[in-house]
Amino acid sequence: MKKTLFILVLCTFSIIGVYSSIQQDRILEAVRNGVVKLLTADRAPNYLTKAVKNISKIKDTLESDETICQSCQVVVHQVLTYRRNGANKDSMKTYFNKLCKIFTGWGNTACHGYIDIEIDPVLYMMDNKNDLTPERVCAIYFQAQKCVDPDAKKWIIPLPPPPKKNEEIEEDDDDDQIGPLRILHLTDIHYDPLYKPGSNAVCKDPLCCQSGVPSKPGNAAGYWGDYNVCDMPRHSVLNLLNHIKEKYIKDIDFIYYTGDIISHKSWASSKSENTKTIKEIYGLFASIFPNTTIYPILGNHEPHPTDFYSPEDVLQNQISTQWIFNLSVTEWSRWLPESTQDTILKGGYYSVLIKPGFRIIAINSNFCFTSNLWLMYEDEDPRDQLAWLVEELYKAEKNKERVHILSHIPPGEILCHKQWSNQFHKIINRFAHIISAQFNGHTHIDELKVFLDEDDESDTDKVINVAFNGASFTTFVGFNPNFKIYEVDPSSAMVLDYDQYIFNLTKANQNTTPPQWYKQYSFKNAYNLHDMSLPSFEDLLEKMSKDDDLMWQYYRFLVRDSDVKIKEGCNSKCLKKLLCYITAVETNESVNC
Ligand SMILES: *[C@@H]1O[C@H](CO)[C@@H](O)[C@H](O)[C@H]1NC(C)=O
Ligand SMILES: *[C@@H]1O[C@H](CO)[C@@H](O)[C@H](O)[C@H]1NC(C)=O
Ligand SMILES: *[C@@H]1O[C@H](CO)[C@@H](O)[C@H](O)[C@H]1NC(C)=O
Ligand SMILES: *[C@@H]1O[C@H](CO)[C@@H](O)[C@H](O)[C@H]1NC(C)=O
Ligand SMILES: [Zn+2]
Ligand SMILES: [Zn+2]
């Protein structure tokens, strides 16, 4: 009985195996023929449409990873060959449009828009990078699908030797400040100047709530925001800032803004519109909080094209994104000392000593985001940022300073370039003892990232660092808006506790009276912790691994009790995944979660 079952299982497996490799071959064959056919045909042949559907059907399996990698290589090979055989810009645009429609499922508007915006930098890369191979492109773009490039360079940022034990900083207790510092964390506002309450919230574009007539009342864009694919109207942004001004700002020592001001209408962005919106938001910050210093960083949505941060050697004004650094120097000079300007101009990063012994290092981790297609052109420590980070941390160590790191993209984000992520991890591991906390945005979820000691083999659960995510003001997609206020020890710069504030969007949208903001939770209390020391995080992880109810609470906080996300739920497997992401601080670890 047992034996028969065993054979049956084996057979089933091998049948699935044979079947899917046949299916995989068929898909690849269809893609290979289809992309050639598309050069001359107006519409995609049926077999190509079907093959693309089949790829999405086997999604999230090993077969689909392989099929995606290989299909990607087939497409990129065809695109490169076409260009290298002399296709001009118009022919390339026509071809990209056909490919976009078939492979992304976006409509005409989004495809045309994206291609108009991205065509110049993309052609520049194709024409100026001799070793741009399909393997390279696909290994970067589809790293989460485990695509690899055998020729990828494993570049290394040298680290100084570890400090001698007696050089480690002793706690400086004679700080005469009374009580903790209070830091407000705002992030991912994604202000949409075109948001129109009552417009269609369920549209075919990658961002809705701007126009169109809803097909039924339930699809009308809410007054204060919307759980559908939408960003935030101006009056909601003003409500957030004025609410903070009225209730909290007098007790706030300074503010972290961890990026993403611009809306998700990336297929229609422009330098001038982005500039206008960025100036408007920083202007509001400055006028509503005139006495509070803000430490801002850039998100992936600030440049144009969205996600594109060009390398230093690309100088043409039309395609270089240098303008965003120049704009940041000007806008940020309200709050930052002149000494930060050189590095902001170089790459949008800076380091500032805010009081003796307490330094903020603000990095531009968007350079690691794999949607930044410039990584195809150059991925080796863009704008020398990680090398600079090591220098800054080494100086801070010698000067016995404690550091907060601000970074838009959280460590271990699945779309952060593998090598960059790996080197960042090594840097944190080396300097963890002086990094009191890290602050992130980008994922729009209230998540923790906890670094375990890589060096101590006897104690692999030892927590050495923690990164907090500010989540997002935008509801994109399906969240309640939030902000956080941290209490920070002025001498160790360690986070002592934080409060998260939210409002219930369903309730707010019942009328146009201002939303009722409330405290969703305080960290120490909600997790029943004695303090927020590193050993306490060790205990917390231990408790989380055994207690699904505690993880469900983590999920509720993560989505800020949003009605749609609570309804969607998160089963035991989903909760396990969330737990796994907490300690996945390097890309390849997240991929394995
Ligand atoms: C800012 O500080 C000035 C001078 O201390 C004070 O007069 C003003 O009321 C403050 N403004 C706000 C909005 O707190
Ligand atoms: C940026 O600023 C630098 C230094 O002020 C200047 O040399 C450069 O031309 C500016 N670039 C752009 C694109 O504005
Ligand atoms: C949000 O408000 C709506 C409407 O009042 C209510 O039905 C819902 O239960 C609230 N959600 C939460 C999580 O409290
Ligand atoms: C991730 O990569 C690093 C170095 O490349 C390696 O040491 C580590 O074991 C990898 N982790 C996983 C989970 O694959
Ligand atoms: Zn964002
Ligand atoms: Zn982002």
Side-chain angles (χ1 to χ4, degrees):
M1 178 63 198
K2 260 193 181 148
K3 204 174 168 191
T4 348
L5 188 67
F6 183 59
I7 290 169
L8 203 77
V9 169
L10 264 184
C11 286
T12 319
F13 264 108
S14 54
I15 290 166
I16 294 173
V18 171
Y19 170 74
S20 54
S21 86
I22 291 173
Q23 198 192 19
Q24 205 178 323
D25 288 348
R26 283 207 194 116
I27 291 175
L28 279 176
E29 192 59 22
V31 171
R32 195 171 290 119
N33 294 334
V35 293
V36 174
K37 185 92 187 167
L38 263 187
L39 287 170
T40 49
D42 274 344
R43 307 178 78 229
N46 279 338
Y47 59 82
L48 181 57
T49 318
K50 221 161 117 194
V52 173
K53 273 207 192 106
N54 281 336
I55 296 179
S56 58
K57 250 190 236 156
I58 55 170
K59 206 170 154 248
D60 293 336
T61 62
L62 279 176
E63 284 81 24
S64 93
D65 281 355
E66 246 176 64
T67 313
I68 288 170
C69 279
Q70 293 184 22
S71 302
C72 170
Q73 291 175 6
V74 166
V75 175
V76 174
H77 173 80
Q78 189 55 47
V79 166
L80 286 169
T81 307
Y82 191 41
R83 177 66 174 177
R84 285 170 187 162
N85 285 342
N88 66 15
K89 180 168 158 182
D90 280 342
S91 310
M92 291 305 290
K93 273 171 80 170
T94 309
Y95 192 42
F96 276 130
N97 265 309
K98 293 181 196 169
L99 291 171
C100 174
K101 267 182 259 173
I102 177 91
F103 285 102
T104 64
W106 296 332
N108 241 328
T109 316
C111 276
H112 276 281
Y114 273 115
I115 287 157
D116 276 345
I117 287 173
E118 298 183 0
I119 188 78
D120 288 330
V122 166
L123 291 183
Y124 179 92
M125 291 174 220
M126 290 169 70
D127 298 346
N128 291 280
K129 173 118 183 131
N130 299 326
D131 56 345
L132 191 67
T133 60
E135 288 75 15
R136 176 176 172 82
V137 171
C138 299
I140 294 175
Y141 203 76
F142 288 113
Q143 64 172 19
Q145 280 69 29
K146 303 187 179 146
C147 286
V148 285
D149 174 11
D151 295 329
K153 185 170 173 201
K154 288 208 166 347
W155 48 270
I156 303 286
I157 305 294
L159 289 170
K164 293 193 196 80
K165 273 281 172 267
N166 58 5
E167 275 175 26
E168 286 187 14
I169 344 174
E170 63 288 351
E171 220 49 72
D172 170 20
D173 275 334
D174 49 43
D175 202 298
D176 45 15
Q177 169 141 11
I178 332 122
L181 292 169
R182 297 173 69 82
I183 304 174
L184 168 70
H185 189 179
L186 284 178
T187 196
D188 294 78
I189 285 181
H190 290 284
Y191 161 43
D192 181 3
L194 301 175
Y195 188 102
K196 210 168 130 207
S199 65
N200 186 13
V202 186
C203 69
K204 290 212 171 64
D205 292 325
L207 185 72
C208 305
C209 294
Q210 294 188 330
S211 63
V213 180
S215 61
K216 52 179 185 187
N219 289 353
Y223 182 77
W224 293 104
D226 203 283
Y227 287 133
N228 285 295
V229 185
C230 303
D231 281 319
M232 299 306 265
R234 189 170 199 276
H235 55 260
S236 298
V237 177
L238 286 175
N239 170 271
L240 164 79
L241 301 180
N242 283 316
H243 174 73
I244 290 169
K245 173 184 167 179
E246 277 152 31
K247 285 206 67 167
Y248 303 104
I249 203 68
K250 63 176 191 330
D251 297 323
I252 299 293
D253 292 279
F254 44 89
I255 301 175
Y256 292 156
Y257 187 74
T258 46
D260 276 359
I261 287 174
I262 303 295
S263 87
H264 288 81
K265 196 173 187 172
S266 308
W267 70 93
S269 66
S270 69
K271 233 187 250 189
S272 60
E273 278 302 311
N274 285 20
T275 301
K276 197 173 138 207
T277 306
I278 289 168
K279 284 184 161 182
E280 182 176 355
I281 291 294
Y282 288 138
L284 286 173
F285 285 175
S287 68
I288 297 177
F289 309 135
N291 297 337
T292 314
T293 301
I294 299 178
Y295 297 98
I297 53 176
L298 288 160
N300 54 307
H301 281 266
E302 270 72 280
H304 162 81
T306 305
D307 304 327
F308 281 51
Y309 279 97
S310 63
E312 229 163 346
D313 66 345
V314 175
L315 299 172
Q316 283 95 318
N317 254 335
Q318 279 315 304
I319 54 171
S320 157
T321 54
Q322 181 59 43
W323 66 274
I324 190 74
F325 301 141
N326 287 38
L327 176 66
S328 302
V329 163
T330 317
E331 290 297 308
W332 298 352
S333 67
R334 293 179 171 105
W335 304 297
L336 303 181
E338 213 180 311
S339 60
T340 57
Q341 296 189 352
D342 286 350
T343 53
I344 296 171
L345 269 184
K346 182 167 166 80
Y349 49 86
Y350 61 86
S351 167
V352 52
L353 191 70
I354 59 163
K355 64 191 214 68
F358 188 166
R359 177 174 296 278
I360 292 171
I361 301 185
I363 66 170
N364 181 5
S365 50
N366 304 295
F367 276 114
C368 87
F369 197 40
T370 52
S371 302
N372 175 17
L373 299 188
W374 281 112
L375 284 172
M376 319 283 173
Y377 181 82
E378 181 59 72
D379 66 88
E380 187 169 347
D381 193 17
R383 305 229 175 195
D384 307 321
Q385 177 173 221
L386 292 179
W388 168 86
L389 176 61
V390 170
E391 263 173 46
E392 282 303 309
L393 286 167
Y394 196 31
K395 271 192 281 177
E397 181 178 70
K398 284 188 194 144
N399 294 334
K400 301 194 185 313
E401 293 161 0
R402 296 299 186 116
V403 174
H404 279 184
I405 291 184
L406 312 188
S407 159
H408 183 61
I409 313 265
E413 157 66 38
I414 229 155
L415 297 180
C416 177
H417 186 261
K418 244 183 352 193
Q419 193 61 22
W420 198 98
S421 170
N422 173 259
Q423 291 299 297
F424 182 76
H425 185 189
K426 293 211 157 22
I427 294 169
I428 298 299
N429 204 56
R430 164 65 182 81
F431 289 103
H433 63 289
I434 62 161
I435 301 167
S436 302
Q438 305 180 50
F439 301 88
N440 309 127
H442 183 65
T443 53
H444 300 186
I445 57 179
D446 169 19
E447 61 177 343
L448 288 168
K449 286 289 183 183
V450 175
F451 288 72
L452 304 178
D453 196 345
E454 273 209 311
D455 299 333
D456 190 347
E457 274 161 21
S458 65
D459 186 1
T460 49
D461 292 336
K462 188 175 164 203
V463 171
I464 56 164
N465 224 254
V466 178
F468 302 97
N469 199 304
S472 67
F473 178 62
T474 186
T475 54
F476 190 101
V477 176
F479 304 117
N480 279 330
N482 81 301
F483 62 87
K484 283 183 179 175
I485 297 176
Y486 304 89
E487 273 184 16
V488 170
D489 183 281
S491 57
S492 71
M494 293 293 285
V495 172
L496 300 170
D497 202 358
Y498 73 78
D499 295 331
Q500 167 142 298
Y501 296 90
I502 67 171
F503 68 77
N504 176 342
L505 184 67
T506 316
K507 196 165 171 202
N509 277 338
Q510 288 171 347
N511 49 53
T512 57
T513 54
Q516 288 164 27
W517 286 94
Y518 64 95
K519 181 162 88 183
Q520 187 193 23
Y521 73 101
S522 298
F523 190 86
K524 248 169 48 181
N525 190 30
Y527 288 106
N528 199 11
L529 298 174
H530 174 64
D531 58 31
M532 282 177 75
S533 66
L534 298 175
S536 289
F537 278 94
E538 236 166 282
D539 295 343
L540 177 60
L541 286 175
E542 167 88 18
K543 278 197 279 183
M544 283 175 154
S545 70
K546 292 181 183 148
D547 184 351
D548 269 7
D549 291 341
L550 193 62
M551 279 310 290
W552 173 251
Q553 175 183 278
Y554 179 75
Y555 174 76
R556 274 186 38 225
F557 294 166
L558 184 128
V559 302
R560 284 90 83 202
D561 271 330
S562 128
D563 283 336
V564 291
K565 291 290 183 189
I566 296 292
K567 196 168 155 215
E568 198 178 297
C570 184
N571 61 20
S572 181
K573 196 177 153 208
C574 157
L575 296 176
K576 285 274 167 310
K577 220 179 164 86
L578 288 181
L579 178 64
C580 178
Y581 281 130
I582 295 178
T583 51
V585 294
E586 201 177 309
T587 303
N588 63 352
E589 294 168 346
S590 304
V591 168
N592 287 336
C593 276

